[in-house]
Amino acid sequence: MKRFEAGAAFLIFSVSLTLYLRTLAPSLLYGDSAEFQTIAFTLGLGHPTGYPVYILLAKLFTFLPVGDIAYRVNLLSAVAGALTVSLVYLILRKLGALQIPAVLSVFFLAFAELFWKHASIAEIYTVSSACLAFIFYSLLAWKESHDPRWLFAAGLVGGLSLGIHTTVALSAIAIFIYLLLSFFFPLSSGDQRGKKKEYFADIKAGATGALLGFAIFLSSFLFLDNLNASASYYNTVVRHALSIWGMTPADFDSPFERLAFLYFPPQFSGQFFAVSNELILERLLEFFSGVSWMVVIAAAGIVSLFIIRKDLTSRWREAVLLMVAFFTFLFFAVSYDVYDYYVFYIPAVLIFVIAVGMGFSAINEALSSISILPKFIPAGFVAVLILASLWFLFPNTLSALESRIPPFTDDYEAMLFTSPEMRLMEAEQVLDAIEDNAIIFTDWDTAYNFYYAAHVLQGRTEMAFHETYPQEGVRELAESTLAYIAGNIDARPIYFTERPSELAVLYQIQRTGSGLFRLVKK
């Protein structure tokens, strides 16, 4: 990498990080984010797919001497988001984009409301995006340099990403096609990649990296699984409710059974590719209407990759890589039957921005071919066009920076930026009124607020918190949950945050001063 390119990438990283730090969540959040903020400290496994590599990365951030634990885990998302944006710049330059379009176009990703929000909270999406961007950059660096170490690096990060977010693995389809095209259609008859021996040596390096990455991922899982932190997803959600999925403790007593549960979760079975054609079409229209007329620029960018330039070899293989990856990620997102399906747009948005950057570069090149224009006109015109497009597409940028609340944030979430102690104070108010060995059944959004307050801040690690109804659509306690309650009622106080009316035939239900409902044997 040229020194100038590294400097430009670092500048983009710094600007993006400054943006995300400005709107970074100050403290404890709720739901998935609170889970990550808690288990990064306690070293527990998360909800499916567990995210063991992400948890260990987040653990490193908990040692930073800034803010509280929750803030430090949020910070990982900001750093990963800024890294992703800078990698997109480097990808554009590898693809042959001109300097000014490449520098400015990356801010279509930096300012993208969905991406920006997730760079401001404890979540896995910007970390997985950084993995995806690095894999693409490594592929392009390999193609340019013929250095197998780049394929090793791509494979290594690909293997590791299984412990960050498994959707990165969807890029394997596009990568496989790209490698096949690179083999069967070398750049020229003299291209060394056309020589089978050297090509397969490179593929071997990539496979070795992938196996090493997978081994690190698996070791991370086994390490965290063996720790069996009280706050892990297993103990919060699964063990007490096994019967609701037709399971017994014997079905969950080995690490690989637990690994299978996380990667093939029964509670989410039937949700993949389970959306009607009408809803898929509606979501596709939603996506493309959100990117507006930039579709035309992106299409021009893809077409430009098929055009041979004097200073560049053909890039049609890279065009195929981007198109296959884009439609793979997009189809997965629009066909996934979950309420927050839109977060899975993020990889597609990343690739879309790469195409947009190439489109603006193509416009710059086309104008530069007009000999009567002064040299500064094409770059200046494209710069103005990009800046105007950013202003038009992201009108809330300045207000977000002023309010320090990222876009795409609802009113309740915004309160956690303006009143960062709210969730923690609510949890502590409840915990201060109950026993150190209490068991509380609650909802998912609240469980890890209790864990964070009790285990991370107060050191009251004998407390246990469980999701009452872990299977969506089922509003009755599992038989195994009833057995768990019966096995603990004599030794530990058991509370619910909502009145468990179905237990009235078995226990007395007493309303406590803390707003909880306590079970007492009749």
Side-chain angles (χ1 to χ4, degrees), residues 5-73:
E5 299 292 4
F10 180 75
L11 179 62
I12 290 169
F13 172 85
S14 301
V15 171
S16 301
L17 183 59
T18 301
L19 174 76
Y20 299 143
L21 289 177
R22 175 71 183 174
T23 59
L24 193 63
S27 190
L28 183 64
L29 299 167
Y30 68 99
D32 292 2
S33 292
E35 177 198 23
F36 291 135
Q37 290 168 326
T38 301
I39 61 178
F41 181 82
T42 64
L43 289 178
L45 285 161
H47 64 276
T49 54
Y51 316 105
V53 176
Y54 169 85
I55 296 304
L56 294 178
L57 283 174
K59 180 65 176 180
L60 295 177
F61 272 72
T62 66
F63 294 114
L64 295 175
V66 56
D68 59 18
I69 296 297
Y71 178 87
R72 297 169 196 173
V73 181

Side-chain angles (χ1 to χ4, degrees), residues 240 243 441 477-487 502-503 506-507:
H240 77 85
S243 66
F441 285 89
L477 294 172
E479 290 296 324
S480 53
T481 301
L482 297 177
Y484 173 77
I485 291 171
E502 65 186 281
L503 295 178
L506 300 174
Y507 304 99

